[in-house]
Amino acid sequence: QVQLVESGGGLLQAGGSLRLSCAASGRTFSTYTMAWFRQAPGKEREFVATISWSGNNSYCVEPVKGRFTISRDNAKNTVYLQMNSLKPEDTAVYFCAAADTIAFKPVLTTATRYDYWGQGTQVTVSS
């Protein structure tokens, strides 16, 4: 069982940066594949990025490549999403998710493949 708590969201202007954090409880955090999803008003939840249990492999969707970086610190049971050059279209509630698998391939981009979810943190980017 894993409990996830996101933090770091906020309101900022386009071009700014934020770092989201997701703190996980549970002794087996290091064996989980972790991911970030986001959900904008009136839209479905969409995959943003994922990282393997070791942190050695990661994958981001095309719209955020080069701007967002996912990372993790297993010693701190925390996964991060560094977001740079933010755009108004990045406005959404960002969710942290955990999948009970150490296999990174195929990359898990579907929400139903993840077993645990945080409550979300709001990111609002103004133009």
Side-chain angles (χ1 to χ4, degrees):
Q1 189 78 300
V2 175
Q3 292 185 327
L4 305 173
V5 179
E6 302 96 333
S7 62
L11 170 64
L12 72 166
Q13 291 187 328
S17 297
L18 274 179
R19 188 177 80 159
L20 305 182
S21 299
C22 172
S25 64
R27 293 174 291 177
T28 58
F29 171 78
S30 61
T31 65
Y32 284 80
T33 293
M34 301 297 296
W36 288 95
F37 286 73
R38 65 186 181 185
Q39 188 166 17
K43 295 187 176 181
E44 292 188 353
R45 191 169 299 189
E46 64 175 4
F47 169 81
V48 176
T50 184
I51 189 166
S52 64
W53 68 273
S54 65
N56 290 336
N57 297 287
S58 63
Y59 173 79
C60 293
V61 291
E62 194 61 37
V64 307
K65 278 183 180 178
R67 300 190 298 122
F68 291 12
T69 302
I70 187 171
S71 62
R72 67 191 295 165
D73 185 339
N74 286 343
K76 296 182 178 180
N77 278 13
T78 302
V79 63
Y80 304 98
L81 186 67
Q82 177 66 44
M83 305 186 295
N84 300 326
S85 302
L86 281 160
K87 304 175 181 180
E89 51 264 44
D90 294 318
T91 294
V93 178
Y94 283 73
F95 297 90
C96 173
D100 190 4
T101 178
I102 61 171
F104 191 68
K105 294 291 182 68
V107 175
L108 303 179
T109 61
T110 305
T112 55
R113 298 299 304 275
Y114 288 83
D115 304 293
Y116 304 101
W117 292 84
Q119 83 290 346
T121 185
Q122 177 71 48
V123 173
T124 304
V125 185
S126 62
S127 57

